[in-house]
Amino acid sequence: MTEIRIYADEDVNIAIIEGLKRRGIQAYSCKEVGNIGLTDEEQIKYANSKKLVILTHDTNFLRMFHEKRLSHSGIIFVSQNKLGVGDIIRKIEFLVIL
């Protein structure tokens, strides 16, 4: 089984990434790898080059994937308006350990 590694775009609360790390999940924010300010397409290219699953709250990001039919290693979309940080961490942890 391939280990899922997560890459969060700029919209994702850093507390989510830190919570995932505390649970032993490989998770990275675009800030910690020096990718703040990159375009969405540049973020995707970076994630693809490292075989990272993208974590985002941005519906425009999803729309771009669909419209441009971009390849990716996976996308996790979570609405930040409907779930708290702890709930998001638990749901992602569940996905990763499946």
Side-chain angles (χ1 to χ4, degrees):
M1 184 168 105
T2 303
E3 184 174 6
I4 295 174
R5 298 178 316 132
I6 295 174
Y7 177 69
D9 70 8
E10 291 183 43
D11 295 328
V12 175
N13 185 330
I14 194 70
I16 294 169
I17 297 304
E18 294 304 319
L20 293 170
K21 287 179 179 184
R22 281 192 299 275
R23 286 164 173 77
I25 297 168
Q26 288 188 45
Y28 311 92
S29 70
C30 62
K31 180 179 181 180
E32 74 183 291
V33 298
N35 288 346
I36 291 288
L38 295 183
T39 66
D40 287 345
E41 288 191 38
E42 290 170 327
Q43 297 286 9
I44 293 163
K45 285 179 185 176
Y46 175 81
N48 283 343
S49 74
K50 304 289 185 187
K51 299 196 184 318
L52 300 168
V53 173
I54 296 171
L55 172 61
T56 187
H57 301 305
D58 187 355
T59 56
N60 291 327
F61 209 76
L62 294 178
R63 190 174 301 112
M64 182 183 61
F65 272 109
H66 177 71
E67 289 173 357
K68 295 185 178 186
R69 299 188 182 272
L70 299 173
S71 65
H72 55 82
S73 296
I75 304 169
I76 299 173
F77 173 81
V78 181
S79 174
Q80 64 183 351
N81 298 327
K82 298 186 182 196
L83 297 172
V85 169
D87 291 327
I88 292 170
I89 292 167
R90 283 186 292 278
K91 289 182 181 295
I92 293 171
E93 180 182 27
F94 179 77
L95 286 172
V96 170
I97 62 171
L98 283 179

